[in-house]
Each structure stands twice: as C-alpha cells, then as structure tokens.
Amino acid sequence: VSGPDDISINLDPALESRLDAALLSKQTRILVAEDDPISSIILRTMLEKFGYETVGARDGGEAWDAFNKEPVRLIVSDWMMPGMDGLALCEKVRARSQTLYTYFILLTANHTNAENYALATAAGVDDFLTKPIDREAIRMRLSVAERILKYTAEIRRLKELIPICVYCRKVRDERDYWERVETYIQNETGSRFSHGACPECCEKELERFREQNS
Amino acid sequence: MSAMQSDRESCLAAGMDNYVSKPVRTTDLQAALPQATDFSMPSISSVALGKLRELEEDGAPGIVSELIDSFKESTPKLLSQAWNAFDKPRQLSAIAHTIKGSCSNFGARPMEALCLRLEHLAPASGSGAARDLVAAIEREFLNVSSALEDHRVRT
C-alpha cells in the first residue's frame, strides 16, 4: 500500500510563489463532496488556506442540490459516497443546461485501476487526485484548473454576442468600456490590423476627392 | 511433535513472524494476516501527522485536535453500522471504504489494510470472515485512538 509518505513534493520558495500567483481568482468557490468527515475537514482547510471559499457536501445528492441551486466553477469530489457517487454527480453537472464549464476533480484511492480511470474520464471528470490528499499536489492541480477556467471564459466571451454601437461602430468590452473595433479585436485575440481600403470605399473616396478638386 | 509443528518451530526460530502451511487455505491465511499487520508497523505514521501539523503552521490552529476528535466520534458510528450490515455486502464494503479513507489521513496503515480487506471481501465468503475483520478493525481503531491521544498530549 502506498500512502502519504510516498507522494510528498517539496517545492522551492520561488516556484511556490509562482504557483500562488497562478491561483489567480482567489475568490473562486469550490464545492467539496466528501462523505468522510476527516478528509472533508482536511481538504476544506487546505483550500481555504489557499484563499478559496468552500462549500461542503456529505454525499453526491447533497452536492448536486447545492450545485443545482447555485453552480460553482470547481468541484472536488470523492468517488465512492453513499447514494449518488462522484461519477453520477459529474454526469449530472455535465448534463445541466445553461451551465458554465465546471472543472471536476475526482478523488480516488491510490490503487484505482486503469479501467476505472477510463470510466471516470468518460463521465466527464477533468482530473484526478489520490487520497490521502497531498497539499502541494492539490495546489498544482488547482492552478491548472484556474488556467483552463480562464480560457473557457475567454472562449465564451469571444463566441458570445458582442455589443456594438449602431452609430460609431465602437464595441463594448467586458469592463464596460467602449473601444474601437480594432482595439477590441487586438486586445482579445492579439490580431493586428493592416489598414487599406476596399474597392467600394476606394471608388467613393476617389469620387469625393474629384468633386473637391473640380 | 508433528512435522508441521516442527516446521513452524524452525520458521519462528529463524526469525519469521508467522507460518502458513501449503497448500494455502484461505482461512489460515486470513487468520495470519491481521497479526502480520498488527505487529509489523506502527498504528499511525509520524510523517502523516507531520503533514497535518503543517496545516496548523499554515494558520489553522487546533486542526489536528479537531481531526482527532472528529475521527474518534465518526468511526464508532461507522463500526456500529458495519456490525449491522453483514447481510448487506455492498453497504458493508462502502462503510469499510469510508473508514479506510478516514484513517488513511493519519497514516494508519494497519487499520487501512484491514479496511481494504473488508472492502474487497467477496460477498460469498460469508459473514464469519467479515465479522472477524470488523472485530480486527475495531481493535486496531483502539490502538490508533490511543496513539493519536499520545500524539495530542506530546504536542
């Protein structure tokens, strides 16, 4: 049996502070679904010390009720729980309509086999952590989760309707500032514009120029 | 002295902890294993407790004491559920799984090993073996509890 003694990771302080910086939105709420009170206290204490707010649930059913009422972006869930288990919870989260992408971390025993990992991945689980939970291991997984959630937010924003002014054609960004289309696109995508004129405008401009000079 | 007895004597004299004769019978092996886990390692791991202490240093004072209290409160409840679940193998297995997860946080390897065995005990193996395991877990729980109390007093 391998245990906590074998998976400790020691980080140097420089890397540690970079990891802290990576956990950018510290106010992210995490739903913790865990039937064992000891593991639940440890996990929630760790997460809260990292700066997260946590919501606890003692089984899958309780976790689903909490999520359905008020969805969170991050779930850390045990696999085996009385009633609804971790996989069933994940499937329900994935099937909920009109829900932002939720990053789902499943807690597994250290002897979980490949077949079970495949089952969990198929249910929509994003990442795995073995129990007992190692503090550094979960901190690193959370930084990955944050990164992916950040990208899903960006993709969503780009796919959504972009508010544009009918008169001046300025576009409203996420901070409610009105920007020129060029500025907006460049900020969002990094693409830059090379300015030219389309044939239609070219013709019009040419005509205006001739009128002014005739 | 029978052949088997003299075999046992010479094995133990050579420094072995126990002896199971071949062909191996499940019941003999099962009887020998809890002993092996009971004696070969400490009830809790100081490394695991050290990691929990780190949480206190992180700014969660009193958490280790809180965990010990919570463990001593929740485990007997689960064990009494286990005593009533011999006719429901799946429920028994789930209870064993929960206790296993619980005690693993303290690095309670022997208790964890016993729980793992109960969790994976085939339903067909009958409630006799399950009863023995629950009793063994209960005994080991007392060892773990007193080791945790020792730890609490010392720190």
Side-chain angles (χ1 to χ4, degrees), chain B residues 87-98:
Chain B
D87 53 340
K88 290 162 267 183
R90 284 188 58 174
Q91 198 188 327
L92 187 62
S93 166
I95 295 166
H97 179 87
T98 303

Side-chain angles (χ1 to χ4, degrees), chain B residues 24-48:
Chain B
V24 178
R25 287 190 310 161
T26 322
T27 46
D28 291 348
L29 191 60
Q30 233 155 18
L33 285 171
Q35 271 191 39
T37 51
D38 278 349
F39 296 123
S40 62
M41 41 175 128
S43 282
I44 56 175
S45 134
S46 52
V47 179

Side-chain angles (χ1 to χ4, degrees), chain B:
Chain B
M1 188 184 279
S2 74
M4 255 171 73
Q5 257 176 333
S6 74
D7 273 354
R8 173 182 290 275
E9 303 282 297
S10 41
C11 284
L12 298 184
M16 292 176 199
D17 293 306
N18 210 337
Y19 167 95
V20 180
S21 65
K22 288 210 274 184
V24 178
R25 287 190 310 161
T26 322
T27 46
D28 291 348
L29 191 60
Q30 233 155 18
L33 285 171
Q35 271 191 39
T37 51
D38 278 349
F39 296 123
S40 62
M41 41 175 128
S43 282
I44 56 175
S45 134
S46 52
V47 179
L49 279 158
K51 284 191 164 285
L52 296 180
R53 285 273 165 228
E54 281 175 18
L55 281 176
E56 301 216 322
E57 286 153 25
D58 259 15
I63 179 121
V64 175
S65 240
E66 188 190 336
L67 290 169
I68 295 172
D69 288 340
S70 181
F71 178 70
K72 288 176 73 177
E73 193 200 316
S74 64
T75 312
K77 286 183 194 158
L78 288 163
L79 282 167
S80 77
Q81 282 175 29
W83 280 113
N84 292 310
F86 292 121
D87 53 340
K88 290 162 267 183
R90 284 188 58 174
Q91 198 188 327
L92 187 62
S93 166
I95 295 166
H97 179 87
T98 303
I99 302 177
K100 184 188 73 184
S102 216
C103 69
S104 73
N105 290 303
F106 302 109
R109 299 287 184 78
M111 187 169 170
E112 210 184 324
L114 290 167
C115 291
L116 183 67
R117 209 169 300 147
L118 181 60
E119 186 185 343
H120 292 292
L121 194 68
S125 60
S127 69
R131 273 171 200 281
D132 290 348
L133 276 170
V134 175
I137 293 168
E138 211 161 48
R139 278 196 303 275
E140 185 53 26
F141 167 63
L142 297 178
N143 292 336
V144 172
S145 294
S146 61
L148 287 173
E149 284 307 330
D150 276 357
H151 177 86
R152 172 143 63 182
V153 173
R154 271 187 285 115
T155 47

Side-chain angles (χ1 to χ4, degrees), chain A:
Chain A
V1 192
S2 75
D5 308 9
D6 314 309
I7 52 166
S8 60
I9 303 162
N10 290 311
L11 296 178
D12 71 74
L15 185 57
E16 207 154 326
S17 70
R18 258 171 53 195
L19 268 174
D20 273 336
L23 301 173
L24 40 104
S25 53
K26 290 254 178 182
Q27 65 278 38
T28 304
R29 224 148 38 94
I30 303 182
L31 177 59
V32 176
E34 169 63 82
D35 61 320
D36 162 38
I38 317 303
S39 304
S40 177
I41 296 170
I42 294 173
L43 195 51
R44 290 182 67 183
T45 306
M46 283 178 185
L47 298 177
E48 280 160 19
K49 291 303 146 204
F50 294 154
Y52 292 96
E53 191 189 317
T54 67
V55 182
R58 281 165 301 184
D59 55 54
E62 208 178 296
W64 167 246
D65 289 342
F67 182 85
N68 198 27
K69 216 170 104 195
E70 207 175 335
V72 294
R73 302 302 308 279
L74 242 167
I75 297 177
V76 178
S77 171
D78 192 17
W79 185 325
M80 271 181 69
M81 290 182 285
M84 190 191 296
D85 68 7
L87 292 201
L89 172 65
C90 185
E91 279 166 357
K92 281 184 89 91
V93 165
R94 294 285 177 252
R96 190 179 184 275
S97 63
Q98 306 252 310
T99 308
L100 297 180
Y101 193 76
T102 302
Y103 199 84
F104 200 107
I105 300 175
L106 189 72
L107 303 176
T108 60
N110 43 26
H111 47 81
T112 301
N113 60 32
E115 200 183 322
N116 282 343
Y117 277 114
L119 215 63
T121 309
V125 168
D126 293 301
D127 203 354
F128 303 90
L129 268 174
T130 55
K131 291 212 281 186
I133 302 293
D134 181 87
R135 189 161 142 272
E136 297 309 330
I138 190 155
R139 189 145 66 141
M140 280 185 256
R141 301 306 174 76
L142 288 172
S143 69
V144 173
E146 292 274 9
R147 188 164 63 223
I148 288 170
L149 287 176
K150 193 182 96 189
Y151 289 137
T152 60
E154 280 179 15
I155 291 167
R156 192 171 51 86
R157 206 168 57 229
L158 288 173
K159 280 168 77 180
E160 270 178 356
L161 288 176
I162 298 170
I164 186 164
C165 169
V166 286
Y167 302 107
C168 70
R169 301 277 154 199
K170 273 187 185 155
V171 163
R172 196 180 70 207
D173 70 8
E174 74 279 10
R175 292 159 304 154
D176 260 351
Y177 290 147
W178 290 90
E179 293 176 317
R180 292 195 312 149
V181 174
E182 291 96 316
T183 318
Y184 181 82
I185 302 272
Q186 186 176 346
N187 288 345
E188 295 300 319
T189 68
S191 303
R192 286 169 50 200
F193 289 85
S194 92
H195 289 89
C198 73
E200 207 178 312
C201 294
C202 197
E203 197 58 46
K204 270 191 211 153
E205 282 300 313
L206 210 58
E207 221 158 281
R208 206 158 59 88
F209 178 76
R210 284 188 196 118
E211 272 168 22
Q212 270 171 13
N213 292 293
S214 58

